[in-house]
Amino acid sequence: MFDSAIFDFTDAEIREAAAANRLLSIEIEFNRLCNYRCPYCYAGDPETELPEMSSELADSVIRQAAELGARKVVILGGEPLLYPELERKIELVNSLGMGAEIFTNGALLDEAAARMFAAHNCRVVVKLNSLDPAVQARMTGEPEALELAQRALRLLREAGCGAGRVAASSVICSENVDGMPALWRYLREREILPYFEMMTPQGRMLENRHLMVEPARLRQVFEEIAAIDAQFGFCWEPQPPLVGGKCFRHIYSCLVNASGDVMPCVGVTTKLGSAAERPVRDILFDSSVIRDLKNYRKMIKGPCRTCRKAQECYGCRGAAYQMTGDYLASDPLCWHNIGRESEIAVLPCDARSLVPHKPPMVMVDEVLSSGQTSEVLAVIRPDNRFLDGGGVLDRAALPELVSQAGAAADAFRNDGAVKPGMLVGCRKIEYFRDIRVGDRLVVSLEETAALDGWHIVAFNVVKEGEPDTVASGELKLCVLES
């Protein structure tokens, strides 16, 4: 018996799961291999090596999801139907009391696959970006894509997948934006769930930016679809990035990609850890990124923080991360932020205003990235007080430089709030080469533990553009509330 409650969550259930550090769902890529070449795909270059998750790791992640309270496993790709163990993994999902939701382009979905999905009470989401055969072909790289998608939807219904079990996914872009309202009506009339979303500028989209749609036009489309949906008895207020829905996946879900990397979602591509090395529970519990996203009402920066919808929306975190480098930035594609783009900070940014130090003591220049690992640029200038007569930086000054980098990264994460702090300890510091005047250093920092203002930060220092480590180690920092 199909239970739609397994697949869909109420706002109360999401809040309760977040408070209890439980999952409601998990997204898994078993593989990255795909028979389509969609120009907007987040997966990127199809010519690079395409990983496939080991069977053992896939089983482990599925079991861990059940232990964390997940009700459904969302199977992404690549194309799931190219994964040879797909049915066995779905059987494992079911045996643990969860449901499987599969995103497929539908080209390989035959009668046997449809019967298999029906037998296992799956929800199947078929790629359908347009009712225009030429548009559907351009957006998939497959000339017969529309016919194949419609065939897949028909086979699923004939196999017994009823209402709530068959869906169609669409991304809104310049190619199909004018046809979105008609496609939505087409799906509602056939009791096919519509999954429409805005595009995230990443992967192959970076080479096809002409597909992006301006926020004002997106708003028009969302509002037109909302008016259509009201005729079918569905009432909702438009907000990005999902048509007719809200995206809070970062506080009740996560992604494990085909390489085993754990990430908040396919858009927020900061690696939180490896499921092959640590339990997913520990990775999520220890992640400062997940803590920030769960505390979004306090942590989101810029105009999104003061938006009237701030209590029930945080925009698209993927769009924010891909366009600004900051997963806490305001969503640049949200129409509520039209005219306020200058208030949205973009990385890299000046680090000197983010530390309490003044010249010539300040040694950091730019915050380059922010995420589970943050990166800060430090240029060793001739006026640096810690240089000897030969222009070599005193190795005893390295902890101070790294501490400043940590302070800048923390202030950036906290919307520019500069907090006083102290370096209280160093461990495992190794030096592999001298640091000299003129060197441009990239300091990578990852918080490995935190409690009541005390932070353990692992660091690695390289010269910009060079792979070899200059120095590494661990600092203990105390951050004081101002």
Side-chain angles (χ1 to χ4, degrees), residues 7 30 59 62 73 75 80-81 83 85-102 113 116-124:
F7 294 89
F30 293 136
D59 287 351
I62 292 169
V73 174
I75 301 173
L81 284 168
Y83 182 64
E85 293 192 49
L86 179 61
E87 183 172 10
R88 197 176 79 77
K89 301 311 176 192
I90 293 173
E91 289 172 346
L92 177 59
V93 168
N94 286 171
S95 72
L96 296 169
M98 299 181 292
E101 183 172 87
I102 295 92
M116 183 269 289
F117 289 140
H120 295 302
N121 286 316
C122 298
R123 174 179 284 174
V124 185

PDB file of all heavy atoms in Angstrom, residues 7 30 59 62 73 75 80-81 83 85-102 113 116-124:
ATOM      1  N   PHE A   7       6.551  10.234   1.893  1.00  0.00           N
ATOM      2  CA  PHE A   7       7.276  11.049   0.921  1.00  0.00           C
ATOM      3  C   PHE A   7       7.147  12.549   1.161  1.00  0.00           C
ATOM      4  O   PHE A   7       7.962  13.317   0.659  1.00  0.00           O
ATOM      5  CB  PHE A   7       6.796  10.717  -0.492  1.00  0.00           C
ATOM      6  CG  PHE A   7       7.135   9.320  -0.922  1.00  0.00           C
ATOM      7  CD1 PHE A   7       6.266   8.269  -0.668  1.00  0.00           C
ATOM      8  CD2 PHE A   7       8.324   9.052  -1.569  1.00  0.00           C
ATOM      9  CE1 PHE A   7       6.579   6.975  -1.070  1.00  0.00           C
ATOM     10  CE2 PHE A   7       8.645   7.766  -1.971  1.00  0.00           C
ATOM     11  CZ  PHE A   7       7.778   6.723  -1.719  1.00  0.00           C
ATOM     12  N   PHE A  30      23.847   6.967  -6.508  1.00  0.00           N
ATOM     13  CA  PHE A  30      24.551   5.687  -6.633  1.00  0.00           C
ATOM     14  C   PHE A  30      25.588   5.748  -7.749  1.00  0.00           C
ATOM     15  O   PHE A  30      26.588   5.048  -7.717  1.00  0.00           O
ATOM     16  CB  PHE A  30      23.561   4.563  -6.913  1.00  0.00           C
ATOM     17  CG  PHE A  30      22.633   4.261  -5.769  1.00  0.00           C
ATOM     18  CD1 PHE A  30      21.289   4.052  -5.989  1.00  0.00           C
ATOM     19  CD2 PHE A  30      23.108   4.190  -4.467  1.00  0.00           C
ATOM     20  CE1 PHE A  30      20.430   3.770  -4.942  1.00  0.00           C
ATOM     21  CE2 PHE A  30      22.253   3.908  -3.415  1.00  0.00           C
ATOM     22  CZ  PHE A  30      20.912   3.701  -3.647  1.00  0.00           C
ATOM     23  N   ASP A  59      24.831   0.415   0.755  1.00  0.00           N
ATOM     24  CA  ASP A  59      24.054  -0.270   1.790  1.00  0.00           C
ATOM     25  C   ASP A  59      24.230   0.410   3.143  1.00  0.00           C
ATOM     26  O   ASP A  59      23.267   0.589   3.907  1.00  0.00           O
ATOM     27  CB  ASP A  59      24.484  -1.734   1.898  1.00  0.00           C
ATOM     28  CG  ASP A  59      24.015  -2.573   0.727  1.00  0.00           C
ATOM     29  OD1 ASP A  59      23.217  -2.067  -0.090  1.00  0.00           O
ATOM     30  OD2 ASP A  59      24.443  -3.740   0.621  1.00  0.00           O
ATOM     31  N   ILE A  62      22.306   3.746   3.298  1.00  0.00           N
ATOM     32  CA  ILE A  62      20.863   3.505   3.418  1.00  0.00           C
ATOM     33  C   ILE A  62      20.501   3.101   4.843  1.00  0.00           C
ATOM     34  O   ILE A  62      19.526   3.600   5.426  1.00  0.00           O
ATOM     35  CB  ILE A  62      20.417   2.426   2.415  1.00  0.00           C
ATOM     36  CG1 ILE A  62      20.541   2.956   0.981  1.00  0.00           C
ATOM     37  CG2 ILE A  62      18.983   1.973   2.689  1.00  0.00           C
ATOM     38  CD1 ILE A  62      20.386   1.889  -0.084  1.00  0.00           C
ATOM     39  N   VAL A  73      14.280   7.730   0.824  1.00  0.00           N
ATOM     40  CA  VAL A  73      15.585   7.849   0.189  1.00  0.00           C
ATOM     41  C   VAL A  73      15.346   8.364  -1.223  1.00  0.00           C
ATOM     42  O   VAL A  73      14.617   7.744  -2.011  1.00  0.00           O
ATOM     43  CB  VAL A  73      16.321   6.499   0.143  1.00  0.00           C
ATOM     44  CG1 VAL A  73      17.610   6.618  -0.657  1.00  0.00           C
ATOM     45  CG2 VAL A  73      16.611   6.005   1.558  1.00  0.00           C
ATOM     46  N   ILE A  75      16.745   8.979  -4.755  1.00  0.00           N
ATOM     47  CA  ILE A  75      17.817   8.424  -5.577  1.00  0.00           C
ATOM     48  C   ILE A  75      18.023   9.322  -6.794  1.00  0.00           C
ATOM     49  O   ILE A  75      17.140   9.458  -7.647  1.00  0.00           O
ATOM     50  CB  ILE A  75      17.490   6.987  -6.000  1.00  0.00           C
ATOM     51  CG1 ILE A  75      17.302   6.109  -4.756  1.00  0.00           C
ATOM     52  CG2 ILE A  75      18.592   6.421  -6.893  1.00  0.00           C
ATOM     53  CD1 ILE A  75      16.817   4.703  -5.052  1.00  0.00           C
ATOM     54  N   PRO A  80      19.677   6.749 -12.617  1.00  0.00           N
ATOM     55  CA  PRO A  80      19.561   5.584 -11.746  1.00  0.00           C
ATOM     56  C   PRO A  80      19.355   4.261 -12.492  1.00  0.00           C
ATOM     57  O   PRO A  80      19.815   3.210 -12.035  1.00  0.00           O
ATOM     58  CB  PRO A  80      18.362   5.916 -10.865  1.00  0.00           C
ATOM     59  CG  PRO A  80      18.347   7.407 -10.814  1.00  0.00           C
ATOM     60  CD  PRO A  80      18.777   7.842 -12.185  1.00  0.00           C
ATOM     61  N   LEU A  81      18.670   4.302 -13.631  1.00  0.00           N
ATOM     62  CA  LEU A  81      18.414   3.060 -14.357  1.00  0.00           C
ATOM     63  C   LEU A  81      19.666   2.493 -15.027  1.00  0.00           C
ATOM     64  O   LEU A  81      19.642   1.393 -15.576  1.00  0.00           O
ATOM     65  CB  LEU A  81      17.308   3.263 -15.382  1.00  0.00           C
ATOM     66  CG  LEU A  81      15.897   3.327 -14.773  1.00  0.00           C
ATOM     67  CD1 LEU A  81      14.884   3.828 -15.790  1.00  0.00           C
ATOM     68  CD2 LEU A  81      15.480   1.973 -14.220  1.00  0.00           C
ATOM     69  N   TYR A  83      22.301   2.108 -13.097  1.00  0.00           N
ATOM     70  CA  TYR A  83      22.971   1.508 -11.939  1.00  0.00           C
ATOM     71  C   TYR A  83      22.513   0.060 -11.813  1.00  0.00           C
ATOM     72  O   TYR A  83      21.319  -0.210 -11.623  1.00  0.00           O
ATOM     73  CB  TYR A  83      22.626   2.297 -10.677  1.00  0.00           C
ATOM     74  CG  TYR A  83      23.297   1.804  -9.428  1.00  0.00           C
ATOM     75  CD1 TYR A  83      24.675   1.847  -9.283  1.00  0.00           C
ATOM     76  CD2 TYR A  83      22.548   1.298  -8.372  1.00  0.00           C
ATOM     77  CE1 TYR A  83      25.298   1.406  -8.124  1.00  0.00           C
ATOM     78  CE2 TYR A  83      23.155   0.859  -7.204  1.00  0.00           C
ATOM     79  CZ  TYR A  83      24.528   0.912  -7.093  1.00  0.00           C
ATOM     80  OH  TYR A  83      25.140   0.474  -5.944  1.00  0.00           O
ATOM     81  N   GLU A  85      22.543  -2.274  -9.613  1.00  0.00           N
ATOM     82  CA  GLU A  85      21.961  -2.808  -8.381  1.00  0.00           C
ATOM     83  C   GLU A  85      20.768  -1.997  -7.894  1.00  0.00           C
ATOM     84  O   GLU A  85      20.409  -2.065  -6.721  1.00  0.00           O
ATOM     85  CB  GLU A  85      23.027  -2.870  -7.284  1.00  0.00           C
ATOM     86  CG  GLU A  85      24.139  -3.871  -7.547  1.00  0.00           C
ATOM     87  CD  GLU A  85      24.986  -4.108  -6.312  1.00  0.00           C
ATOM     88  OE1 GLU A  85      24.410  -4.355  -5.230  1.00  0.00           O
ATOM     89  OE2 GLU A  85      26.216  -4.022  -6.419  1.00  0.00           O
ATOM     90  N   LEU A  86      20.159  -1.236  -8.780  1.00  0.00           N
ATOM     91  CA  LEU A  86      19.096  -0.339  -8.356  1.00  0.00           C
ATOM     92  C   LEU A  86      17.972  -1.069  -7.625  1.00  0.00           C
ATOM     93  O   LEU A  86      17.554  -0.657  -6.535  1.00  0.00           O
ATOM     94  CB  LEU A  86      18.525   0.407  -9.567  1.00  0.00           C
ATOM     95  CG  LEU A  86      17.372   1.364  -9.268  1.00  0.00           C
ATOM     96  CD1 LEU A  86      17.810   2.463  -8.305  1.00  0.00           C
ATOM     97  CD2 LEU A  86      16.829   1.963 -10.567  1.00  0.00           C
ATOM     98  N   GLU A  87      17.475  -2.153  -8.179  1.00  0.00           N
ATOM     99  CA  GLU A  87      16.351  -2.843  -7.535  1.00  0.00           C
ATOM    100  C   GLU A  87      16.748  -3.372  -6.160  1.00  0.00           C
ATOM    101  O   GLU A  87      15.955  -3.288  -5.207  1.00  0.00           O
ATOM    102  CB  GLU A  87      15.820  -3.981  -8.395  1.00  0.00           C
ATOM    103  CG  GLU A  87      14.605  -4.674  -7.771  1.00  0.00           C
ATOM    104  CD  GLU A  87      13.931  -5.674  -8.673  1.00  0.00           C
ATOM    105  OE1 GLU A  87      14.496  -6.009  -9.743  1.00  0.00           O
ATOM    106  OE2 GLU A  87      12.822  -6.131  -8.315  1.00  0.00           O
ATOM    107  N   ARG A  88      17.960  -3.904  -6.036  1.00  0.00           N
ATOM    108  CA  ARG A  88      18.378  -4.424  -4.728  1.00  0.00           C
ATOM    109  C   ARG A  88      18.454  -3.313  -3.698  1.00  0.00           C
ATOM    110  O   ARG A  88      18.097  -3.527  -2.528  1.00  0.00           O
ATOM    111  CB  ARG A  88      19.737  -5.124  -4.844  1.00  0.00           C
ATOM    112  CG  ARG A  88      20.030  -6.027  -3.653  1.00  0.00           C
ATOM    113  CD  ARG A  88      21.319  -6.782  -3.810  1.00  0.00           C
ATOM    114  NE  ARG A  88      22.477  -5.982  -3.506  1.00  0.00           N
ATOM    115  CZ  ARG A  88      22.872  -5.679  -2.262  1.00  0.00           C
ATOM    116  NH1 ARG A  88      22.164  -6.085  -1.226  1.00  0.00           N
ATOM    117  NH2 ARG A  88      23.945  -4.957  -2.056  1.00  0.00           N
ATOM    118  N   LYS A  89      18.878  -2.131  -4.112  1.00  0.00           N
ATOM    119  CA  LYS A  89      18.945  -1.027  -3.160  1.00  0.00           C
ATOM    120  C   LYS A  89      17.540  -0.570  -2.766  1.00  0.00           C
ATOM    121  O   LYS A  89      17.290  -0.226  -1.597  1.00  0.00           O
ATOM    122  CB  LYS A  89      19.734   0.150  -3.752  1.00  0.00           C
ATOM    123  CG  LYS A  89      21.170  -0.193  -4.149  1.00  0.00           C
ATOM    124  CD  LYS A  89      21.923  -0.924  -3.065  1.00  0.00           C
ATOM    125  CE  LYS A  89      23.314  -1.324  -3.528  1.00  0.00           C
ATOM    126  NZ  LYS A  89      23.975  -2.277  -2.614  1.00  0.00           N
ATOM    127  N   ILE A  90      16.619  -0.562  -3.715  1.00  0.00           N
ATOM    128  CA  ILE A  90      15.237  -0.199  -3.396  1.00  0.00           C
ATOM    129  C   ILE A  90      14.640  -1.216  -2.426  1.00  0.00           C
ATOM    130  O   ILE A  90      13.919  -0.854  -1.484  1.00  0.00           O
ATOM    131  CB  ILE A  90      14.399  -0.101  -4.689  1.00  0.00           C
ATOM    132  CG1 ILE A  90      14.875   1.087  -5.533  1.00  0.00           C
ATOM    133  CG2 ILE A  90      12.919   0.042  -4.356  1.00  0.00           C
ATOM    134  CD1 ILE A  90      14.229   1.163  -6.905  1.00  0.00           C
ATOM    135  N   GLU A  91      14.936  -2.490  -2.635  1.00  0.00           N
ATOM    136  CA  GLU A  91      14.451  -3.523  -1.713  1.00  0.00           C
ATOM    137  C   GLU A  91      14.980  -3.296  -0.306  1.00  0.00           C
ATOM    138  O   GLU A  91      14.253  -3.461   0.686  1.00  0.00           O
ATOM    139  CB  GLU A  91      14.871  -4.908  -2.223  1.00  0.00           C
ATOM    140  CG  GLU A  91      14.130  -5.352  -3.469  1.00  0.00           C
ATOM    141  CD  GLU A  91      14.706  -6.636  -4.062  1.00  0.00           C
ATOM    142  OE1 GLU A  91      15.834  -7.021  -3.665  1.00  0.00           O
ATOM    143  OE2 GLU A  91      14.036  -7.245  -4.914  1.00  0.00           O
ATOM    144  N   LEU A  92      16.248  -2.889  -0.193  1.00  0.00           N
ATOM    145  CA  LEU A  92      16.812  -2.605   1.120  1.00  0.00           C
ATOM    146  C   LEU A  92      16.115  -1.402   1.752  1.00  0.00           C
ATOM    147  O   LEU A  92      15.781  -1.421   2.951  1.00  0.00           O
ATOM    148  CB  LEU A  92      18.317  -2.342   1.003  1.00  0.00           C
ATOM    149  CG  LEU A  92      19.036  -1.953   2.298  1.00  0.00           C
ATOM    150  CD1 LEU A  92      18.893  -3.048   3.359  1.00  0.00           C
ATOM    151  CD2 LEU A  92      20.514  -1.649   2.022  1.00  0.00           C
ATOM    152  N   VAL A  93      15.875  -0.368   0.956  1.00  0.00           N
ATOM    153  CA  VAL A  93      15.155   0.812   1.449  1.00  0.00           C
ATOM    154  C   VAL A  93      13.803   0.395   2.024  1.00  0.00           C
ATOM    155  O   VAL A  93      13.431   0.777   3.144  1.00  0.00           O
ATOM    156  CB  VAL A  93      14.981   1.845   0.314  1.00  0.00           C
ATOM    157  CG1 VAL A  93      13.993   2.939   0.728  1.00  0.00           C
ATOM    158  CG2 VAL A  93      16.316   2.460  -0.074  1.00  0.00           C
ATOM    159  N   ASN A  94      13.053  -0.397   1.278  1.00  0.00           N
ATOM    160  CA  ASN A  94      11.735  -0.843   1.723  1.00  0.00           C
ATOM    161  C   ASN A  94      11.816  -1.699   2.983  1.00  0.00           C
ATOM    162  O   ASN A  94      10.978  -1.578   3.890  1.00  0.00           O
ATOM    163  CB  ASN A  94      11.046  -1.633   0.611  1.00  0.00           C
ATOM    164  CG  ASN A  94      10.537  -0.781  -0.530  1.00  0.00           C
ATOM    165  OD1 ASN A  94      10.119  -1.291  -1.552  1.00  0.00           O
ATOM    166  ND2 ASN A  94      10.571   0.541  -0.380  1.00  0.00           N
ATOM    167  N   SER A  95      12.818  -2.589   3.031  1.00  0.00           N
ATOM    168  CA  SER A  95      12.932  -3.496   4.176  1.00  0.00           C
ATOM    169  C   SER A  95      13.189  -2.746   5.476  1.00  0.00           C
ATOM    170  O   SER A  95      12.904  -3.265   6.562  1.00  0.00           O
ATOM    171  CB  SER A  95      14.052  -4.504   3.936  1.00  0.00           C
ATOM    172  OG  SER A  95      15.334  -3.895   4.031  1.00  0.00           O
ATOM    173  N   LEU A  96      13.707  -1.523   5.373  1.00  0.00           N
ATOM    174  CA  LEU A  96      13.993  -0.713   6.553  1.00  0.00           C
ATOM    175  C   LEU A  96      12.865   0.260   6.863  1.00  0.00           C
ATOM    176  O   LEU A  96      13.031   1.153   7.700  1.00  0.00           O
ATOM    177  CB  LEU A  96      15.310   0.040   6.345  1.00  0.00           C
ATOM    178  CG  LEU A  96      16.555  -0.857   6.221  1.00  0.00           C
ATOM    179  CD1 LEU A  96      17.763  -0.046   5.755  1.00  0.00           C
ATOM    180  CD2 LEU A  96      16.857  -1.535   7.549  1.00  0.00           C
ATOM    181  N   GLY A  97      11.733   0.086   6.177  1.00  0.00           N
ATOM    182  CA  GLY A  97      10.560   0.906   6.469  1.00  0.00           C
ATOM    183  C   GLY A  97      10.545   2.262   5.804  1.00  0.00           C
ATOM    184  O   GLY A  97       9.754   3.132   6.186  1.00  0.00           O
ATOM    185  N   MET A  98      11.374   2.448   4.795  1.00  0.00           N
ATOM    186  CA  MET A  98      11.438   3.723   4.088  1.00  0.00           C
ATOM    187  C   MET A  98      10.884   3.571   2.673  1.00  0.00           C
ATOM    188  O   MET A  98      10.708   2.470   2.171  1.00  0.00           O
ATOM    189  CB  MET A  98      12.887   4.228   4.028  1.00  0.00           C
ATOM    190  CG  MET A  98      13.514   4.481   5.381  1.00  0.00           C
ATOM    191  SD  MET A  98      15.218   5.117   5.256  1.00  0.00           S
ATOM    192  CE  MET A  98      16.087   3.681   4.604  1.00  0.00           C
ATOM    193  N   GLY A  99      10.629   4.701   2.031  1.00  0.00           N
ATOM    194  CA  GLY A  99      10.205   4.706   0.638  1.00  0.00           C
ATOM    195  C   GLY A  99      11.319   5.217  -0.248  1.00  0.00           C
ATOM    196  O   GLY A  99      12.185   5.973   0.188  1.00  0.00           O
ATOM    197  N   ALA A 100      11.288   4.817  -1.520  1.00  0.00           N
ATOM    198  CA  ALA A 100      12.297   5.252  -2.491  1.00  0.00           C
ATOM    199  C   ALA A 100      11.657   6.192  -3.508  1.00  0.00           C
ATOM    200  O   ALA A 100      10.608   5.882  -4.074  1.00  0.00           O
ATOM    201  CB  ALA A 100      12.917   4.057  -3.197  1.00  0.00           C
ATOM    202  N   GLU A 101      12.303   7.340  -3.705  1.00  0.00           N
ATOM    203  CA  GLU A 101      11.860   8.314  -4.707  1.00  0.00           C
ATOM    204  C   GLU A 101      12.977   8.419  -5.746  1.00  0.00           C
ATOM    205  O   GLU A 101      14.090   8.801  -5.408  1.00  0.00           O
ATOM    206  CB  GLU A 101      11.590   9.664  -4.046  1.00  0.00           C
ATOM    207  CG  GLU A 101      11.047  10.717  -4.993  1.00  0.00           C
ATOM    208  CD  GLU A 101      10.615  11.970  -4.234  1.00  0.00           C
ATOM    209  OE1 GLU A 101      11.466  12.851  -4.007  1.00  0.00           O
ATOM    210  OE2 GLU A 101       9.435  12.043  -3.847  1.00  0.00           O
ATOM    211  N   ILE A 102      12.679   8.075  -6.992  1.00  0.00           N
ATOM    212  CA  ILE A 102      13.703   7.963  -8.020  1.00  0.00           C
ATOM    213  C   ILE A 102      13.531   9.062  -9.051  1.00  0.00           C
ATOM    214  O   ILE A 102      12.445   9.238  -9.624  1.00  0.00           O
ATOM    215  CB  ILE A 102      13.642   6.585  -8.718  1.00  0.00           C
ATOM    216  CG1 ILE A 102      13.970   5.456  -7.737  1.00  0.00           C
ATOM    217  CG2 ILE A 102      14.606   6.520  -9.890  1.00  0.00           C
ATOM    218  CD1 ILE A 102      12.784   4.866  -7.061  1.00  0.00           C
ATOM    219  N   ALA A 113      10.767  -2.256 -15.784  1.00  0.00           N
ATOM    220  CA  ALA A 113      11.166  -1.265 -14.784  1.00  0.00           C
ATOM    221  C   ALA A 113       9.933  -0.635 -14.143  1.00  0.00           C
ATOM    222  O   ALA A 113       9.894  -0.415 -12.922  1.00  0.00           O
ATOM    223  CB  ALA A 113      12.043  -0.199 -15.423  1.00  0.00           C
ATOM    224  N   MET A 116       8.542  -3.018 -11.664  1.00  0.00           N
ATOM    225  CA  MET A 116       9.415  -3.081 -10.496  1.00  0.00           C
ATOM    226  C   MET A 116       9.159  -1.890  -9.573  1.00  0.00           C
ATOM    227  O   MET A 116       9.022  -2.039  -8.356  1.00  0.00           O
ATOM    228  CB  MET A 116      10.878  -3.109 -10.940  1.00  0.00           C
ATOM    229  CG  MET A 116      11.891  -3.237  -9.803  1.00  0.00           C
ATOM    230  SD  MET A 116      12.467  -1.626  -9.150  1.00  0.00           S
ATOM    231  CE  MET A 116      13.490  -1.050 -10.511  1.00  0.00           C
ATOM    232  N   PHE A 117       9.077  -0.692 -10.138  1.00  0.00           N
ATOM    233  CA  PHE A 117       8.816   0.493  -9.324  1.00  0.00           C
ATOM    234  C   PHE A 117       7.446   0.395  -8.646  1.00  0.00           C
ATOM    235  O   PHE A 117       7.293   0.760  -7.470  1.00  0.00           O
ATOM    236  CB  PHE A 117       8.888   1.752 -10.192  1.00  0.00           C
ATOM    237  CG  PHE A 117      10.271   2.124 -10.640  1.00  0.00           C
ATOM    238  CD1 PHE A 117      10.496   2.586 -11.928  1.00  0.00           C
ATOM    239  CD2 PHE A 117      11.356   2.018  -9.782  1.00  0.00           C
ATOM    240  CE1 PHE A 117      11.764   2.931 -12.358  1.00  0.00           C
ATOM    241  CE2 PHE A 117      12.643   2.369 -10.192  1.00  0.00           C
ATOM    242  CZ  PHE A 117      12.838   2.823 -11.482  1.00  0.00           C
ATOM    243  N   ALA A 118       6.465  -0.102  -9.374  1.00  0.00           N
ATOM    244  CA  ALA A 118       5.132  -0.237  -8.802  1.00  0.00           C
ATOM    245  C   ALA A 118       5.125  -1.255  -7.657  1.00  0.00           C
ATOM    246  O   ALA A 118       4.512  -1.028  -6.610  1.00  0.00           O
ATOM    247  CB  ALA A 118       4.135  -0.648  -9.880  1.00  0.00           C
ATOM    248  N   ALA A 119       5.821  -2.368  -7.862  1.00  0.00           N
ATOM    249  CA  ALA A 119       5.842  -3.423  -6.841  1.00  0.00           C
ATOM    250  C   ALA A 119       6.485  -2.954  -5.550  1.00  0.00           C
ATOM    251  O   ALA A 119       6.120  -3.415  -4.458  1.00  0.00           O
ATOM    252  CB  ALA A 119       6.589  -4.649  -7.382  1.00  0.00           C
ATOM    253  N   HIS A 120       7.425  -2.011  -5.661  1.00  0.00           N
ATOM    254  CA  HIS A 120       8.141  -1.543  -4.478  1.00  0.00           C
ATOM    255  C   HIS A 120       7.612  -0.200  -3.961  1.00  0.00           C
ATOM    256  O   HIS A 120       8.263   0.439  -3.127  1.00  0.00           O
ATOM    257  CB  HIS A 120       9.639  -1.427  -4.781  1.00  0.00           C
ATOM    258  CG  HIS A 120      10.295  -2.743  -5.074  1.00  0.00           C
ATOM    259  ND1 HIS A 120      10.281  -3.793  -4.180  1.00  0.00           N
ATOM    260  CD2 HIS A 120      10.974  -3.191  -6.160  1.00  0.00           C
ATOM    261  CE1 HIS A 120      10.940  -4.819  -4.705  1.00  0.00           C
ATOM    262  NE2 HIS A 120      11.364  -4.482  -5.898  1.00  0.00           N
ATOM    263  N   ASN A 121       6.413   0.189  -4.443  1.00  0.00           N
ATOM    264  CA  ASN A 121       5.757   1.413  -3.943  1.00  0.00           C
ATOM    265  C   ASN A 121       6.648   2.649  -4.044  1.00  0.00           C
ATOM    266  O   ASN A 121       6.684   3.491  -3.139  1.00  0.00           O
ATOM    267  CB  ASN A 121       5.303   1.221  -2.496  1.00  0.00           C
ATOM    268  CG  ASN A 121       4.095   0.322  -2.392  1.00  0.00           C
ATOM    269  OD1 ASN A 121       3.154   0.466  -3.168  1.00  0.00           O
ATOM    270  ND2 ASN A 121       4.128  -0.623  -1.463  1.00  0.00           N
ATOM    271  N   CYS A 122       7.383   2.738  -5.152  1.00  0.00           N
ATOM    272  CA  CYS A 122       8.260   3.896  -5.354  1.00  0.00           C
ATOM    273  C   CYS A 122       7.458   5.097  -5.850  1.00  0.00           C
ATOM    274  O   CYS A 122       6.385   4.950  -6.436  1.00  0.00           O
ATOM    275  CB  CYS A 122       9.336   3.577  -6.400  1.00  0.00           C
ATOM    276  SG  CYS A 122      10.436   2.227  -5.954  1.00  0.00           S
ATOM    277  N   ARG A 123       8.002   6.256  -5.599  1.00  0.00           N
ATOM    278  CA  ARG A 123       7.559   7.445  -6.323  1.00  0.00           C
ATOM    279  C   ARG A 123       8.617   7.689  -7.404  1.00  0.00           C
ATOM    280  O   ARG A 123       9.815   7.752  -7.105  1.00  0.00           O
ATOM    281  CB  ARG A 123       7.453   8.661  -5.415  1.00  0.00           C
ATOM    282  CG  ARG A 123       7.141   9.956  -6.190  1.00  0.00           C
ATOM    283  CD  ARG A 123       7.018  11.149  -5.258  1.00  0.00           C
ATOM    284  NE  ARG A 123       5.742  11.128  -4.556  1.00  0.00           N
ATOM    285  CZ  ARG A 123       5.430  12.000  -3.580  1.00  0.00           C
ATOM    286  NH1 ARG A 123       6.306  12.906  -3.177  1.00  0.00           N
ATOM    287  NH2 ARG A 123       4.249  11.931  -2.994  1.00  0.00           N
ATOM    288  N   VAL A 124       8.195   7.828  -8.645  1.00  0.00           N
ATOM    289  CA  VAL A 124       9.113   7.990  -9.768  1.00  0.00           C
ATOM    290  C   VAL A 124       8.905   9.365 -10.391  1.00  0.00           C
ATOM    291  O   VAL A 124       7.777   9.736 -10.734  1.00  0.00           O
ATOM    292  CB  VAL A 124       8.904   6.887 -10.824  1.00  0.00           C
ATOM    293  CG1 VAL A 124       9.968   7.004 -11.917  1.00  0.00           C
ATOM    294  CG2 VAL A 124       8.966   5.506 -10.171  1.00  0.00           C
TER     295      VAL A 124
END
